[in-house]
Amino acid sequence: QVQLVESGGGLVQAVGSLRLSCAASGSFVSIGTMGWYRQAPGKRRELVARIFSSGITDYQDSVKGRFSIFRDSAKNTVYLQMNSLKPEDTAVYYCNALVVLKNFLRNEYWGQGTQVTVSS
């Protein structure tokens, strides 16, 4: 089984910074795309940023220039550096990963979510 464990959420004032981490563990061959999604109260879950195994990144327009996603493949970990935070960034942030299992089937996994609250 594969687990994604997130850390780094919390309460921060507007224009502050936070870094989220997500570490994958378990039995697998490799990890493909890793990403961060968020869900605010009453809203649908949305993609924030993702990074492909090639290193190419993709961001939601509202976070471009403020957030940065990067990964440490040796540690099976993905990070989300969030700068210039705004109250509208308040949400539960979820880590996501596409994992190649030992039977060479691919499966999608989610972390448990970490709360990010930005006060004005």
Side-chain angles (χ1 to χ4, degrees):
Q1 192 54 279
V2 176
Q3 287 187 319
L4 301 180
V5 179
E6 301 144 343
S7 60
L11 173 64
V12 64
Q13 289 188 327
V15 308
S17 297
L18 280 176
R19 177 178 290 188
L20 305 182
S21 301
C22 171
S25 63
S27 182
F28 52 85
V29 173
S30 63
I31 303 176
T33 304
M34 301 185 80
W36 289 93
Y37 289 71
R38 67 187 180 188
Q39 187 167 19
K43 295 189 176 181
R44 298 177 65 177
R45 189 173 296 188
E46 60 180 9
L47 174 67
V48 177
R50 58 184 172 178
I51 181 167
F52 299 93
S53 55
S54 63
I56 293 174
T57 57
D58 181 28
Y59 296 90
Q60 180 191 111
D61 285 347
S62 69
V63 307
K64 285 180 180 177
R66 300 188 298 121
F67 291 11
S68 179
I69 187 170
F70 55 101
R71 65 195 288 176
D72 184 335
S73 296
K75 295 182 179 180
N76 296 315
T77 300
V78 64
Y79 305 90
L80 184 68
Q81 177 66 41
M82 303 185 293
N83 299 326
S84 302
L85 282 160
K86 303 176 181 180
E88 51 264 43
D89 294 318
T90 295
V92 178
Y93 284 70
Y94 297 91
C95 176
N96 174 276
L98 292 177
V99 179
V100 179
L101 303 175
K102 290 200 170 182
N103 58 8
F104 296 99
L105 293 177
R106 293 199 299 177
N107 205 1
E108 182 180 39
Y109 293 90
W110 291 90
Q112 78 283 2
T114 185
Q115 177 69 47
V116 172
T117 302
V118 184
S119 63
S120 56

